[in-house]
Every structure is written in structure tokens, then in C-alpha cells.
Amino acid sequence: MTMSRTGHPAPGYLEDDAPAPAGVRLQLGALQALCRQTMAVRLALIVIGTPFALANTPGDGPRLAAVAAAVLGVTASYAVLRDWDRVGPCLLAHPTLMALDLLFVATLLLTASPASPLAYATVCTPLLSGLLYGWRGAGVLTGLQLAVVLSVFRAWEHHPGAGTSTLLVAGFCVAAGIIGVTLRNLMFRFGAASEALSQANARLAAAEAVDSERARLAREMHDSVAKTLHGLALAAEALAASADRGDPDTLKRQATLVAGAARRAAAESRHLLSDLRRRTDVTTPRPDLATELTVLMEDFAHRTGTTVALSKPDAPLPLPCTTAHHVLAIVSEALENTHRHAHATRVRIELAAPSPGNATLDLRVGDDGVGLPPSATPENLAKTGHFGLLGMTERAASLGGRLHLSRSPLGGAEIHLHVPLPTTASRTPQEEAAHA
């Protein structure tokens, strides 16, 4: 005996019927198909057994009765098989209608005798009752059918082989009832397990979606507001240090830097919040990556005084909105790292245009700074509170690309971004937002 999660013995197949799983149409449809197949088996048994029954039936009267019972059985079975969609619900709602089936069984046995091959068509009654009603319904109807078989045996007990045939028919009826209920419970238990698995998968998918969204928000916060606030803190510290000297021009310049950084942080916060609420316009054009990189490079060089060289193709390079957003975020983070951590004076950005036979985007950002230590990995840096490189790696992975770290020809560190580009028709902005 198995145990349930609550510690109580789990009900076995002989203890109770498995309830029909709510909302699982597949298992209910399979049960309906089995019921239809049961009627088809009865129809086949009657058609096959009728010639043998007629050959073994002496006299015109009994033979005529057997023919009438066979015709009635074929007609009724075909009608139920054809209109099962209407007959099935009626049988489920009104189990007493199965008494008509028992009456047909009694007529068939009385006319053809238990020793006739037609008698084996009666096993479909307990099989059908087991599929429809479970153990209780199958037990009642099988018991009634056994009583019918026993009554018919008394009418044919002097016929040769009647006793053995009656015993076989009774055994097949009991076995058919057990098989019908077992199949019913197996399908319903499988349906309940499938439904539970679907719900578990749905919960896991929801949890993964939440984790993915949290990681995305963390990347966006790090690459926008967090960097600006860090610059704001440095400018505020410089303003505090200048206050001791009392130089009005220096104080004015430092205060301007603080105000500009604060406005930039507020703008980035509004942009991030708007991005969470926006509905993407289907008419949004694809951004040109080369143009966007130029704007990004000029802004970085103006803010930091770092010399930045950009090598790019002459032709425009329009990309899907999501791809361009992630690529620009990776380049922006790489540029900030060259200024804040590598203390570089020169930076070189190389953008290679995809060729017709190789639809991939190759982008390198190298500097002449101090470089990364040999043990530096995204995971190790994240443990010390530096999430920039980890966010860059995650962005590249979300595009199906790779991010490599190496030594730059300028002497410092270099990142190499390799991103495959879609070769089919472009996705709409809604599809890109869903993909992100």
C-alpha cells in the first residue's frame, strides 16, 4: 500500500474510484473513445458470431429468433456507435438506461444460448459500465448481468456445453468489468498527474520570468542610474573639498557638475520607469547602430576627456530595437569601465559589418589602461559588488551571442562581442519586447 504526502494510505484501485480531473479534456476524450470502441467491438462480435450461431441452432424457430436478435444487436450497436456524442451523456446522467442493455443481453442469450459465439458479445456490458461508472456502477451492473446469465443457463442447462460456456461467459464478464474500471481510473489518475505537472511547469515558468525580469531591471539600474549616482557622489565630494578653498569659480563649476549629474539621474530614472510601462509603437524605425555608437562615443569623450577612436562601416547598420539596445548598453558599460577602473587615456571601438554569408555582428572595445587581473571573471567580480561585466555577459547571452575578454593591442583590456543577427524577416517591436 502506498502512502500519500499527508502520511495517510493512498487509495488503491479497489478502494475507490478516481475522480474525473477538472479541465483535462484529453483524458475525457480518451474515455469517450474507449466507450465507442467497446460498442464497435460488440458490433464486430455480433457480425462474426451470427453465422456460427445459425449453423449450430437447430430448427427454424430458434434460428429465426437468433437472426432477429443479431439484427437487433447490429442495429442498436451501430446506432449507439454513430450517435455516441448524444447517447454517452444520457448514459452518464441516467445509469438506469443500462437496464436496456441488460434486456438486450438476456434476449441474445435466450435466443442463441450461452454456448453460442454470440454470447460473448455480452461482455461489453460490464466493460462499458466500468468505463462509465467506476467500481460501484460496474459492480452493480456486472452482478445483474451474472444473474441474467445464471437465469438463461437454467433455461439451457440441458443443452450440451451450456455449463462450461456459461462459466466462461460469467468469467469474461467479471474480467471485462475490472478492466473497464482499471482503464478509467488509470486515465483519470494520469490526467490528474498531467494537470499537476502542467501547473508545476507554469509556476516554474512564472518564477523564471520573474527572475529574468529582476535580472533585467538590475542590469538597467546598474547601467544607467547607478553609474550616474556614482558620478554624482564623486562630484559632490569634489564640491565639498572645494568649499574649504572658497574659490567661487571652482565652486560654481563643481555645483554645475552636481546639478547636471542629478538631472541626468532623474532623466534616466524616468526613462527606466517609462520603459516598464510603455507599449511599443509598431511604427518605431530600426536604429542605426553606427550612428548611435558615434553619439555615444562623442558624449563619453566630452564627459571624460578620453580619446576615443571609432572604426565603423560606411553603410548604415539598422538593427532590431532590442539588439541595438543591448549592444549599446554593453558598449556604454565598457566605456565607463575604461574610465573608472582602467584609467585609460585612449579607447578604440571597432565595428565590423556583417557579410552576406556571415550574418554576425563583431564589435571590439579596447583601451590602454591597466587591464583586468588574470583571475577576473564576471562571477568573481559580482561577488565583490561589481556587476558591470556580469550584466554585459548576460546581455550578450540574451541575444544568443558571446562576450570574450582579452588583451587589447593598445596594452589594456579588450572585450569582443559576437552576436548573430536574424536573417529572416524582422520581428515587430512587440515581438522584440517579448523576446527581451
Side-chain angles (χ1 to χ4, degrees), residues 369-383:
V370 297
L372 289 170
S375 60
T377 63
E379 291 76 15
N380 291 338
L381 292 175
K383 293 178 181 178

Side-chain angles (χ1 to χ4, degrees), residues 29 56 112 117 154 206 219 225 251 297 322 376 383 407:
N56 297 325
R154 291 180 178 178
R219 290 193 300 267
V225 180
L251 290 176
M297 174 200 71
T322 300
K383 293 178 181 178
R407 189 167 184 82

Side-chain angles (χ1 to χ4, degrees), residues 7-270:
H8 301 290
Y13 288 112
L14 293 175
E15 295 179 19
D16 201 357
D17 294 328
V24 181
R25 297 184 178 179
L26 178 62
Q27 281 66 36
L28 296 177
L31 181 65
Q32 297 289 332
L34 281 177
C35 293
R36 295 174 67 98
Q37 293 300 322
T38 300
M39 300 308 300
V41 168
R42 166 175 283 181
L43 180 61
L45 288 175
I46 294 175
V47 171
I48 295 173
T50 298
F52 295 98
L54 295 178
N56 297 325
T57 302
D60 295 336
R63 187 175 293 126
L64 183 60
V67 170
V71 171
L72 176 62
V74 169
T75 304
S77 299
Y78 176 74
V80 173
L81 178 62
R82 184 190 61 185
D83 298 327
W84 179 258
D85 292 337
R86 289 185 293 179
V87 175
C90 293
L91 291 177
L92 282 173
H94 306 285
T96 53
L97 291 177
M98 289 296 292
L100 297 176
D101 197 72
L102 291 175
L103 179 61
F104 164 73
V105 168
T107 303
L108 194 66
L109 289 175
L110 284 172
T111 56
S113 83
S116 171
L118 283 176
Y120 292 96
T122 61
V123 301
C124 294
T125 299
L127 179 60
L128 185 63
S129 63
L131 291 172
L132 291 176
Y133 310 122
W135 287 117
R136 296 180 179 88
V140 172
L141 290 171
T142 302
L144 292 175
Q145 178 150 321
L146 291 178
V148 171
V149 172
L150 181 60
S151 300
V152 172
F153 166 71
R154 291 180 178 178
W156 289 84
E157 59 183 345
H158 299 297
H159 190 275
T164 303
S165 299
T166 301
L167 183 62
L168 287 175
V169 171
F172 280 129
C173 288
V174 174
I178 295 174
I179 291 173
V181 179
T182 302
L183 289 176
R184 176 184 187 273
N185 288 350
L186 280 175
M187 282 189 296
F188 285 169
R189 284 188 168 88
F190 176 76
S194 300
E195 185 178 16
L197 180 61
S198 300
Q199 293 176 353
N201 289 336
R203 288 193 294 268
L204 288 176
E208 291 177 359
V210 171
D211 291 340
S212 176
E213 184 65 13
R214 290 178 61 185
R216 188 186 75 83
L217 290 176
R219 290 193 300 267
E220 299 295 340
M221 290 290 293
H222 177 273
D223 295 343
S224 58
V225 180
K227 291 189 302 183
T228 305
L229 291 178
H230 178 74
L232 177 61
L234 293 179
E237 291 175 355
L239 177 61
S242 302
D244 296 334
R245 295 190 294 269
D247 184 5
D249 294 335
T250 302
L251 290 176
K252 182 178 180 180
R253 184 172 59 255
Q254 295 296 336
T256 302
L257 290 176
V258 171
R263 284 192 296 268
R264 189 162 56 250
E268 289 172 347
S269 299
R270 287 194 301 270

